[in-house]
Amino acid sequence: MSGHSGNDDPKAPLLAVVVHPPPNSAEPHDAGPAGPATCQSLISCLLTPNSFYILLGPLLCAMICLLVKLQPGDGGGGSSSSSSAAATSRNMLAVLAWMFAWWLTEAVPMPITSMAPLFLFPLFGIAAADDVASSYMDDVIALVLGSFILALAVEHYNIHRRLALNITLLFCGDPLNPPLLLLGICATTAFISMWMHNVAAAVMMMPVATGILQRLPESGPGQSPVVSKFCRAVVLGVIYSAAVGGMSTLTGTGVNLILVGMWKSYFPEADPISFSTWLFFGVPLALVIFLFLWAILCLLYCPKGSGPILSAYLDKAHLKRELTLLGPMAFAEKMVLTVFGMLIALWMTRSITDDIPGWGVLFNDRAGDGTVSVMMATLLFIIPSNKNKGEKLMDWSKCKKLPWNIVLLLGAGFAIADGVRTSGLAEILTKSLDFLEQAPYWAIAPLVSLIGAFITEFTSNNATTTLLVPLLIQIAKTMHVHPLLLMIPGAIGAQFAFLLPTGTPSNIVGFTTGHIEIKDMIKVGIPLKITGIVALSILMPALGTWVFGIHGEI
């Protein structure tokens, strides 16, 4: 990037004017009609796999509209209304095929595909423009925006680095205990990932982890196998701990938010899944998977006798020096931590139990988790930073990295959920899945998790959840079981992207350090994935039914 393009001045124009030098005489811009070479270049640009993938979406949509005939669900009414309902359902199926083709191939950037319902739904007669647009801003999306602004504040003031160094220093041991140090790094990553997006947690923690590893000898032919193995364990621990920690809260990953939003869209009369409710299920599940992760990393990469070898390079003095360089906590850091702590406390106490109502009762349960998230984020723009006159803890220029791609994907998922339900496609899907009515739950739940865990290796976990959850709702209705008994295993299974670097951005963050290879990810990822599926299949009917108040069908 050139020097003048990196201007972070908030007063700078949004669209910078770039002045190009005049074209030289050898390359005139107005030299008449394009020659054969230009035509060939244009054809070669069009005849690419990406161009085919772009056309694939509209082609699938057109084929479904022309060739597929759906039988309307049982809803009464005359023949004209039935045929109209069938046409709307068919159009919804066609739009789904278009969007899923673009999502799976990434022919068009995922955020842009996520905006497609805004024009496809009205044009195909599925929903009015205002109704579709309302799906892109609700309480769940407000929760995302508020929590990400707080996460950006934590990152801006280096609070995550201070926390990581303190906890790692605590776990380092004297003399050095490699499994204990690994536990400290992994536990810190998982804890940070609970309160901010797991990708952000991995991005924040990886420099801290690699900073510790920099004390070790450079990788090469002469590097000790013990040192090489410990480096791999740390990097794998960070990326997998970020994923596992994110499962335990609603804010840790977009998948959980998509699940909660779809539950609210499909079953508006049911009790919503609150932050505290999810925590009571997510933390035990994440803890089981996390302990297995630590155990397998120690087993594979921390052999006996590694402590004395590593202690020659890693000691508490290095960590203390890193911590000293950060200096004492400033007023701004303390205030950001205070606001973050208040947010967690408000999330936890808004709705406690049926017998012990939370503070939400004071507002007739009109306030949601998103209400609190945005309110506390707003405080960051009001409280002074105590650094420069008039400067606040946060300003809008610090919010440039807000994850609008996740916001748009969430909105698309909610719009699809509403479209499938209101178009009548949900009823048709339910009728087509009658053969599953007699299938036992204990056989379907692990299969659902396995399908989600498989698909997510090849596409984003958010997209996998958006594709899978609506289908699982219909399967649950056919089997006459509570929808959450399938929705939750499917959604959490979509977070088990442990095998390939491209499975999730967190994996890419670890892979680019150069310390791990694909075989390392497969060696740890396969048993970790199996453990996750088994733990999920056991905990969902055992603990989940109590936490989510599941009693029969909904």
Side-chain angles (χ1 to χ4, degrees):
M1 182 180 289
S2 59
H4 67 275
S5 64
N7 186 11
D8 288 329
D9 184 4
K11 297 181 180 178
L14 187 62
L15 298 177
V17 178
V18 181
V19 180
H20 295 281
N24 55 45
S25 56
E27 296 177 341
H29 278 229
D30 298 316
T38 307
C39 292
Q40 291 176 0
S41 175
L42 180 61
I43 292 171
S44 64
C45 288
L46 291 175
L47 296 178
T48 62
N50 184 259
S51 299
F52 170 74
Y53 295 145
I54 290 173
L55 290 173
L56 181 62
L59 282 174
L60 287 174
C61 179
M63 288 173 64
I64 291 173
C65 286
L66 293 173
L67 303 176
V68 174
K69 302 295 182 184
L70 297 178
Q71 293 295 324
D74 300 330
S79 59
S80 60
S81 61
S82 296
S83 59
S84 175
T88 305
S89 302
R90 181 203 61 210
N91 290 349
M92 183 66 214
L93 184 64
V95 168
L96 283 178
W98 183 335
M99 291 186 63
F100 290 172
W102 278 5
W103 262 336
L104 293 172
T105 61
E106 295 190 28
V108 176
M110 190 172 288
I112 303 302
T113 304
S114 300
M115 290 193 290
L118 291 168
F119 67 88
L120 289 178
F121 281 22
L123 294 180
F124 281 82
I126 296 166
D130 287 341
D131 294 334
V132 182
S134 64
S135 299
Y136 286 78
M137 181 54 71
D138 68 356
D139 187 65
V140 175
I141 293 176
L143 171 66
V144 174
L145 289 173
S147 59
F148 262 102
I149 289 173
L150 279 155
L152 289 174
V154 168
E155 181 183 3
H156 177 73
Y157 290 104
N158 258 335
I159 296 172
H160 65 291
R161 185 172 178 80
R162 186 184 298 278
L163 177 67
L165 286 171
N166 273 298
I167 295 180
T168 307
L169 193 61
L170 178 68
F171 281 90
C172 188
D174 194 11
L176 179 70
N177 186 335
L180 194 61
L181 176 57
L182 181 62
L183 177 63
I185 295 171
C186 292
T188 304
T189 306
F191 179 76
I192 291 175
S193 183
M194 289 174 66
W195 313 110
M196 60 182 63
H197 196 275
N198 52 16
V199 176
V203 170
M204 288 180 181
M205 277 300 297
M206 195 57 72
V208 177
T210 52
I212 296 170
L213 299 180
Q214 281 174 0
R215 300 284 297 176
L216 300 173
E218 292 287 333
S219 59
Q223 189 184 41
S224 166
V226 171
V227 172
S228 174
K229 284 186 174 183
F230 186 72
C231 291
R232 295 180 187 198
V234 168
V235 173
L236 289 169
V238 168
I239 60 175
Y240 290 151
S241 296
V244 173
M247 297 173 194
S248 57
T249 63
L250 291 185
T251 53
T253 172
V255 168
N256 295 346
L257 293 167
I258 291 171
L259 172 69
V260 170
M262 286 194 171
W263 170 252
K264 181 180 173 184
S265 296
Y266 273 95
F267 308 102
E269 71 287 350
D271 292 334
I273 301 173
S274 68
F275 186 91
S276 57
T277 302
W278 183 270
L279 199 72
F280 285 124
F281 176 76
V283 169
L285 174 67
L287 187 61
V288 170
I289 301 174
F290 175 81
L291 290 175
F292 180 82
L293 167 65
W294 177 60
I296 196 170
L297 287 175
C298 291
L299 184 67
L300 295 176
Y301 297 105
C302 294
K304 283 186 178 181
S306 59
I309 297 173
L310 294 172
S311 61
Y313 310 102
L314 286 175
D315 53 23
K316 285 192 172 183
H318 163 64
L319 298 173
K320 287 178 179 177
R321 278 196 301 273
E322 291 284 325
L323 198 56
T324 304
L325 289 174
L326 291 176
M329 282 192 75
F331 171 81
E333 293 176 63
K334 293 176 182 177
M335 290 309 300
V336 170
L337 273 179
T338 301
V339 171
F340 210 98
M342 289 169 61
L343 173 62
I344 294 170
L346 289 170
W347 272 341
M348 293 290 296
T349 57
R350 180 177 68 85
S351 176
I352 303 173
T353 65
D354 292 336
D355 299 325
I356 309 172
W359 59 263
V361 173
L362 301 174
F363 302 93
N364 297 321
D365 290 325
R366 288 176 179 156
D369 289 331
T371 309
V372 182
S373 184
V374 173
M375 181 178 72
M376 301 311 290
T378 303
L379 288 179
L380 298 177
F381 296 84
I382 298 172
I383 300 172
S385 66
N386 210 26
K387 284 188 175 181
N388 300 315
K389 187 177 180 180
E391 183 180 341
K392 310 300 181 186
L393 291 175
M394 286 289 283
D395 57 60
W396 190 247
S397 65
K398 296 186 182 83
C399 297
K400 291 177 180 177
K401 294 192 289 183
L402 276 175
W404 296 111
N405 57 331
I406 293 177
V407 171
L408 292 171
L409 184 60
L410 284 169
F414 302 159
I416 287 172
D418 285 337
V420 169
R421 180 171 49 83
T422 59
S423 68
L425 183 60
E427 294 179 21
I428 295 171
L429 285 173
T430 303
K431 289 178 65 179
S432 66
L433 296 169
D434 285 344
F435 67 94
L436 291 171
E437 188 170 358
Q438 304 302 323
Y441 171 76
W442 59 265
I444 294 293
L447 181 62
V448 162
S449 301
L450 184 62
I451 291 170
F454 176 76
I455 296 174
T456 195
E457 296 293 348
F458 306 99
T459 185
S460 80
N461 48 20
N462 292 337
T464 302
T465 308
T466 307
L467 306 179
L468 197 58
V469 168
L471 181 61
L472 295 178
I473 291 172
Q474 307 313 318
I475 293 175
K477 288 180 178 178
T478 301
M479 293 176 62
H480 303 294
V481 300
H482 197 284
L484 286 178
L485 288 172
L486 293 185
M487 290 171 67
I488 291 175
I492 294 182
Q495 300 176 56
F496 296 156
F498 299 142
L499 300 183
L500 300 175
T502 53
T504 173
S506 302
N507 294 358
I508 296 173
V509 169
F511 200 74
T512 53
T513 62
H515 287 295
I516 60 173
E517 301 173 2
I518 292 180
K519 65 181 180 181
D520 295 307
M521 298 187 68
I522 293 174
K523 190 190 300 184
V524 178
I526 288 177
L528 190 61
K529 193 185 285 270
I530 294 170
T531 302
I533 292 172
V534 171
L536 190 54
S537 301
I538 294 172
L539 284 178
M540 188 59 220
L543 177 64
T545 51
W546 174 73
V547 170
F548 298 108
I550 295 172
H551 305 290
E553 295 183 63
I554 191 164

